[in-house]
Amino acid sequence: MTNPSASASPLVTIDRVHAARALAAETGIDLLVLTPGADLRYLCGYDAHAMERLTALAVPRTGEPFLVVPRLEAPMVDASPAGTLGLELLAWDETHDAFGVLAAAATARLGSAPTRVGVGSRTWAEHALGVQRALPGSALELASPVIDRLRMVKTPAEVEELALAGAAIDRVHARMGEWLRVGRTEAEVGADIAAAILAEGHVGVDFTIVGSGPNGASPHHELSGRRVEAGDVVVVDIGGETATGYRSDCTRTYVVGGSAPAEVARWYEVLHAAQLAATAAVRPGVTAEQIDAAARQVIADAGWGEYFIHRTGHGIGLDTHEPPYIVAGNDLPLEPGMAFSVEPGIYLPGQVGARIEDIVVCTDDGVRVLNNGPRELVELPG
Ligand code: ZN
Ligand code: ZN
């Protein structure tokens, strides 16, 4: 059995840490501190689990970056891609002050104590405050202007990881008729989908939304004991994590044991047109909010605007939701390598809903769509 994350991977090179250091210096941040989670995994390939003991990648503006880890977990760093990057490892013992170890090493590299310290946006408060205590002259801020900037633009190798994840979740949707049937509860259907997410090429299930009938009008409804009825419109939004950490996220809307009511079929056509319009608008230089507007305009022009109650999409990578957010007010211009969802929906409260979601990537001259199952209302036998 091979573990893809344990071998030297072209996905993660020391270049990422060096790019973070250069960008921190440019931004005026003296020290970056990243703890377990997607930021740490992105920068050095170490997929550490978060816990009370401090694990952190420290990137001073000058000098060599280093990893602070509990001694009992040092072998896990060596076994991960991080072990091949040549990062100095500062292992601390159970009776050591881990924050003191980090502060002393960073201060030594910088020549004086850091003033501005950027911490990961999902760093636990007890770790952020521990850093603050150990560096009392510093002010903490989010590292996200540096880290998001890097994570937002995927390398070709990362895009291929997202494409594999997309193909895997497409295979799950293609099998939906095996599980989504009249008389079964959303929870039963969801359990089968979760097993299939793992069977089709993921190592973890992130979420399974099965919104049947009126539950489809609640965009983040997950699962319930409601039984699927003949003629139900069912929103199925599912995603998982692959071995390299990249995520899938894809929504299709089904009709089970019957045809869609004429009115639903009518506004579903509008939704479909909106999803295609937003996808077709993706190319370098177009802003995130223009993609949102492309979808919203189609739905609003048809008179359904008030029922499209969320942004059009979110970035995706090592997290399911990450920048760039495809929403009014975000004037970020798209660049080749940016990956995000295009997922307009129409929701009639208490009645019915529908959503169509693909992951797309901005390319040099347009768009690459990573989910390719049919986007029409898919009719399944009861
Ligand atoms: Zn989704
Ligand atoms: Zn999504």
Side-chain angles (χ1 to χ4, degrees), residues 207 237-238 249-251 314 343 355 357:
F207 55 91
D237 184 354
I238 52 180
D249 182 5
C250 181
T251 310
H314 53 82
E343 51 175 310
R355 179 164 65 256
E357 176 180 25

Side-chain angles (χ1 to χ4, degrees), residues 209 211 213-221 233-237 251-253 263-264 267-268 271 296 299 303-313 342-357:
I209 294 174
N215 291 338
S218 169
H220 279 177
H221 172 82
V233 175
V234 185
V235 178
V236 179
D237 184 354
T251 310
R252 292 295 183 259
T253 302
E263 193 198 50
V264 173
W267 58 250
Y268 191 89
L271 179 65
R296 207 163 296 279
I299 294 174
W304 297 94
E306 67 181 290
Y307 302 108
F308 177 18
I309 56 174
H310 55 69
R311 66 190 178 204
T312 292
V342 174
E343 51 175 310
I346 292 178
Y347 311 95
L348 279 59
Q351 299 176 46
V352 63
R355 179 164 65 256
I356 306 169
E357 176 180 25

Side-chain angles (χ1 to χ4, degrees), residues 11 16 42 153-163 246:
L11 274 172
R16 290 184 180 178
Y42 173 80
V153 179
K154 272 66 183 176
T155 62
E158 288 183 283
V159 170
E160 291 316 310
E161 292 300 321
L162 285 169
Y246 288 84

Side-chain angles (χ1 to χ4, degrees), residues 78-149:
D78 288 332
S80 82
T84 68
L85 299 185
L87 287 168
E88 187 180 351
L89 205 64
L90 301 182
W92 57 275
D93 292 304
E94 296 282 49
T95 55
H96 282 166
D97 168 16
F99 298 101
V101 169
L102 187 153
T107 301
R109 281 161 171 76
L110 290 164
S112 61
T115 306
R116 290 176 60 187
V117 177
V119 297
S121 53
R122 294 172 193 183
T123 284
W124 288 6
E126 64 178 304
H127 295 144
L129 296 176
V131 170
Q132 173 75 87
R133 264 197 313 277
L135 292 165
S138 69
L140 297 194
E141 60 190 284
L142 292 179
S144 42
V146 171
I147 304 302
D148 292 353
R149 182 69 234 150

